[in-house]
PDB file of all heavy atoms in Angstrom:
ATOM      1  N   GLY A1730     100.030 151.987 103.669  1.00 94.00           N
ATOM      2  CA  GLY A1730      99.143 153.128 103.408  1.00 94.00           C
ATOM      3  C   GLY A1730      98.300 152.790 102.126  1.00 94.00           C
ATOM      4  O   GLY A1730      98.013 151.643 101.803  1.00 94.00           O
ATOM      5  N   THR A1731      97.846 153.904 101.517  1.00 91.00           N
ATOM      6  CA  THR A1731      97.015 153.782 100.283  1.00 91.00           C
ATOM      7  C   THR A1731      97.593 152.821  99.327  1.00 91.00           C
ATOM      8  O   THR A1731      96.867 151.846  98.912  1.00 91.00           O
ATOM      9  CB  THR A1731      96.920 155.168  99.567  1.00 91.00           C
ATOM     10  OG1 THR A1731      96.608 156.158 100.595  1.00 91.00           O
ATOM     11  CG2 THR A1731      95.952 155.185  98.483  1.00 91.00           C
ATOM     12  N   MET A1732      98.841 152.913  99.003  1.00 95.00           N
ATOM     13  CA  MET A1732      99.413 152.113  97.962  1.00 95.00           C
ATOM     14  C   MET A1732      99.916 150.804  98.486  1.00 95.00           C
ATOM     15  O   MET A1732      99.608 149.717  97.972  1.00 95.00           O
ATOM     16  CB  MET A1732     100.491 152.814  97.271  1.00 95.00           C
ATOM     17  CG  MET A1732     100.117 154.097  96.532  1.00 95.00           C
ATOM     18  SD  MET A1732      98.880 153.748  95.249  1.00 95.00           S
ATOM     19  CE  MET A1732      99.778 152.789  94.074  1.00 95.00           C
ATOM     20  N   ASP A1751     104.566 147.820 108.691  1.00 98.00           N
ATOM     21  CA  ASP A1751     104.363 149.332 108.869  1.00 98.00           C
ATOM     22  C   ASP A1751     105.000 149.618 110.235  1.00 98.00           C
ATOM     23  O   ASP A1751     105.576 148.729 110.923  1.00 98.00           O
ATOM     24  CB  ASP A1751     102.942 149.797 108.665  1.00 98.00           C
ATOM     25  CG  ASP A1751     102.877 151.256 108.270  1.00 98.00           C
ATOM     26  OD1 ASP A1751     103.356 152.130 108.962  1.00 98.00           O
ATOM     27  OD2 ASP A1751     102.324 151.521 107.220  1.00 98.00           O
ATOM     28  N   GLN A1752     104.833 150.915 110.704  1.00 96.00           N
ATOM     29  CA  GLN A1752     105.504 151.285 111.922  1.00 96.00           C
ATOM     30  C   GLN A1752     104.848 150.642 113.114  1.00 96.00           C
ATOM     31  O   GLN A1752     105.483 150.511 114.189  1.00 96.00           O
ATOM     32  CB  GLN A1752     105.461 152.794 112.009  1.00 96.00           C
ATOM     33  CG  GLN A1752     106.434 153.444 110.984  1.00 96.00           C
ATOM     34  CD  GLN A1752     106.054 154.875 110.732  1.00 96.00           C
ATOM     35  OE1 GLN A1752     104.898 155.276 110.829  1.00 96.00           O
ATOM     36  NE2 GLN A1752     107.069 155.696 110.470  1.00 96.00           N
ATOM     37  N   ARG A1756      98.576 150.627 112.354  1.00 97.00           N
ATOM     38  CA  ARG A1756      98.584 151.201 110.988  1.00 97.00           C
ATOM     39  C   ARG A1756      98.337 150.151 109.935  1.00 97.00           C
ATOM     40  O   ARG A1756      97.923 150.499 108.853  1.00 97.00           O
ATOM     41  CB  ARG A1756      99.946 151.836 110.744  1.00 97.00           C
ATOM     42  CG  ARG A1756     100.225 153.087 111.469  1.00 97.00           C
ATOM     43  CD  ARG A1756     101.401 153.847 110.982  1.00 97.00           C
ATOM     44  NE  ARG A1756     101.666 154.997 111.703  1.00 97.00           N
ATOM     45  CZ  ARG A1756     101.642 156.250 111.184  1.00 97.00           C
ATOM     46  NH1 ARG A1756     101.364 156.480 109.895  1.00 97.00           N
ATOM     47  NH2 ARG A1756     101.900 157.321 111.964  1.00 97.00           N
ATOM     48  N   GLU A1806     106.849 159.549 100.778  1.00 90.00           N
ATOM     49  CA  GLU A1806     107.636 160.039  99.555  1.00 90.00           C
ATOM     50  C   GLU A1806     108.722 160.971 100.141  1.00 90.00           C
ATOM     51  O   GLU A1806     108.634 162.224  99.925  1.00 90.00           O
ATOM     52  CB  GLU A1806     106.714 160.740  98.623  1.00 90.00           C
ATOM     53  CG  GLU A1806     107.330 161.130  97.279  1.00 90.00           C
ATOM     54  CD  GLU A1806     107.606 159.917  96.409  1.00 90.00           C
ATOM     55  OE1 GLU A1806     107.695 158.742  96.863  1.00 90.00           O
ATOM     56  OE2 GLU A1806     107.810 160.115  95.173  1.00 90.00           O
ATOM     57  N   LYS A1811     113.387 157.010 103.010  1.00 97.00           N
ATOM     58  CA  LYS A1811     113.563 155.739 102.293  1.00 97.00           C
ATOM     59  C   LYS A1811     114.954 155.139 102.371  1.00 97.00           C
ATOM     60  O   LYS A1811     115.182 153.987 102.521  1.00 97.00           O
ATOM     61  CB  LYS A1811     113.217 155.954 100.769  1.00 97.00           C
ATOM     62  CG  LYS A1811     111.666 156.193 100.538  1.00 97.00           C
ATOM     63  CD  LYS A1811     111.362 156.237  99.032  1.00 97.00           C
ATOM     64  CE  LYS A1811     109.939 156.842  98.672  1.00 97.00           C
ATOM     65  NZ  LYS A1811     108.849 155.938  98.780  1.00 97.00           N
ATOM     66  N   ASN A1831     108.113 151.960  95.196  1.00 97.00           N
ATOM     67  CA  ASN A1831     106.899 152.507  94.535  1.00 97.00           C
ATOM     68  C   ASN A1831     106.953 153.974  94.397  1.00 97.00           C
ATOM     69  O   ASN A1831     105.880 154.590  94.091  1.00 97.00           O
ATOM     70  CB  ASN A1831     105.711 151.937  95.336  1.00 97.00           C
ATOM     71  CG  ASN A1831     104.358 152.335  94.574  1.00 97.00           C
ATOM     72  OD1 ASN A1831     104.251 152.077  93.393  1.00 97.00           O
ATOM     73  ND2 ASN A1831     103.402 152.829  95.354  1.00 97.00           N
ATOM     74  N   SER A1833     106.854 157.672  93.343  1.00 90.00           N
ATOM     75  CA  SER A1833     106.244 158.253  92.157  1.00 90.00           C
ATOM     76  C   SER A1833     107.058 159.377  91.550  1.00 90.00           C
ATOM     77  O   SER A1833     106.747 159.828  90.438  1.00 90.00           O
ATOM     78  CB  SER A1833     104.799 158.693  92.384  1.00 90.00           C
ATOM     79  OG  SER A1833     104.694 159.375  93.511  1.00 90.00           O
ATOM     80  N   PHE A1855     103.299 151.455  90.748  1.00 98.00           N
ATOM     81  CA  PHE A1855     101.881 151.055  90.594  1.00 98.00           C
ATOM     82  C   PHE A1855     101.085 152.375  90.542  1.00 98.00           C
ATOM     83  O   PHE A1855     101.425 153.388  90.933  1.00 98.00           O
ATOM     84  CB  PHE A1855     101.446 150.281  91.772  1.00 98.00           C
ATOM     85  CG  PHE A1855     101.958 148.841  91.895  1.00 98.00           C
ATOM     86  CD1 PHE A1855     103.236 148.566  92.389  1.00 98.00           C
ATOM     87  CD2 PHE A1855     101.224 147.778  91.417  1.00 98.00           C
ATOM     88  CE1 PHE A1855     103.768 147.308  92.474  1.00 98.00           C
ATOM     89  CE2 PHE A1855     101.694 146.457  91.497  1.00 98.00           C
ATOM     90  CZ  PHE A1855     102.965 146.289  92.026  1.00 98.00           C
TER      91      PHE A1855
HETATM   92  P1  LIG B2383     100.599 156.669 102.648  1.00 58.08           P
HETATM   93  O1  LIG B2383     101.032 157.962 103.395  1.00 58.08           O
HETATM   94  O2  LIG B2383      99.204 156.411 102.402  1.00 58.08           O
HETATM   95  O3  LIG B2383     101.344 155.474 103.353  1.00 58.08           O
HETATM   96  C1  LIG B2383     102.657 155.419 103.668  1.00 58.08           C
HETATM   97  C2  LIG B2383     102.812 154.346 104.814  1.00 58.08           C
HETATM   98  O4  LIG B2383     104.114 154.127 105.022  1.00 58.08           O
HETATM   99  C3  LIG B2383     102.181 154.842 106.123  1.00 58.08           C
HETATM  100  O5  LIG B2383     101.256 153.899 106.630  1.00 58.08           O
HETATM  101  C4  LIG B2383     103.374 154.950 107.035  1.00 58.08           C
HETATM  102  O6  LIG B2383     103.029 154.600 108.374  1.00 58.08           O
HETATM  103  C5  LIG B2383     104.358 153.995 106.500  1.00 58.08           C
HETATM  104  N1  LIG B2383     105.721 154.269 106.781  1.00 58.08           N
HETATM  105  C6  LIG B2383     106.367 155.441 106.713  1.00 58.08           C
HETATM  106  N2  LIG B2383     107.640 155.244 107.033  1.00 58.08           N
HETATM  107  C7  LIG B2383     107.818 153.999 107.326  1.00 58.08           C
HETATM  108  C8  LIG B2383     108.932 153.170 107.802  1.00 58.08           C
HETATM  109  N3  LIG B2383     110.151 153.775 107.990  1.00 58.08           N
HETATM  110  N4  LIG B2383     108.726 151.871 107.963  1.00 58.08           N
HETATM  111  C9  LIG B2383     107.486 151.334 107.754  1.00 58.08           C
HETATM  112  N5  LIG B2383     106.426 152.013 107.342  1.00 58.08           N
HETATM  113  C10 LIG B2383     106.584 153.356 107.109  1.00 58.08           C
HETATM  114  O7  LIG B2383     101.349 156.870 101.223  1.00 58.08           O
HETATM  115  P2  LIG B2383     101.022 156.300  99.789  1.00 58.08           P
HETATM  116  O8  LIG B2383     100.128 157.165  99.110  1.00 58.08           O
HETATM  117  O9  LIG B2383     100.602 154.878  99.938  1.00 58.08           O
HETATM  118  O10 LIG B2383     102.407 156.384  99.071  1.00 58.08           O
HETATM  119  C11 LIG B2383     103.504 155.493  99.350  1.00 58.08           C
HETATM  120  C12 LIG B2383     104.435 155.574  98.175  1.00 58.08           C
HETATM  121  O11 LIG B2383     103.805 155.280  96.973  1.00 58.08           O
HETATM  122  C13 LIG B2383     105.091 156.963  97.977  1.00 58.08           C
HETATM  123  O12 LIG B2383     106.385 156.741  97.599  1.00 58.08           O
HETATM  124  C14 LIG B2383     104.229 157.510  96.881  1.00 58.08           C
HETATM  125  O13 LIG B2383     104.973 158.538  96.104  1.00 58.08           O
HETATM  126  C15 LIG B2383     103.988 156.327  96.012  1.00 58.08           C
HETATM  127  N6  LIG B2383     102.798 156.394  95.188  1.00 58.08           N
HETATM  128  C16 LIG B2383     101.628 156.880  95.647  1.00 58.08           C
HETATM  129  C17 LIG B2383     100.547 156.950  94.800  1.00 58.08           C
HETATM  130  C18 LIG B2383      99.204 157.460  95.235  1.00 58.08           C
HETATM  131  O14 LIG B2383      98.326 157.694  94.439  1.00 58.08           O
HETATM  132  N7  LIG B2383      98.962 157.637  96.537  1.00 58.08           N
HETATM  133  C19 LIG B2383     100.587 156.418  93.447  1.00 58.08           C
HETATM  134  C20 LIG B2383     101.846 155.807  93.087  1.00 58.08           C
HETATM  135  C21 LIG B2383     102.900 155.776  93.963  1.00 58.08           C
END
Side-chain angles (χ1 to χ4, degrees):
T1731 310
M1732 295 304 291
D1751 207 300
Q1752 290 159 327
R1756 285 195 183 241
E1806 188 71 340
K1811 287 187 196 278
N1831 186 47
S1833 46
F1855 289 81

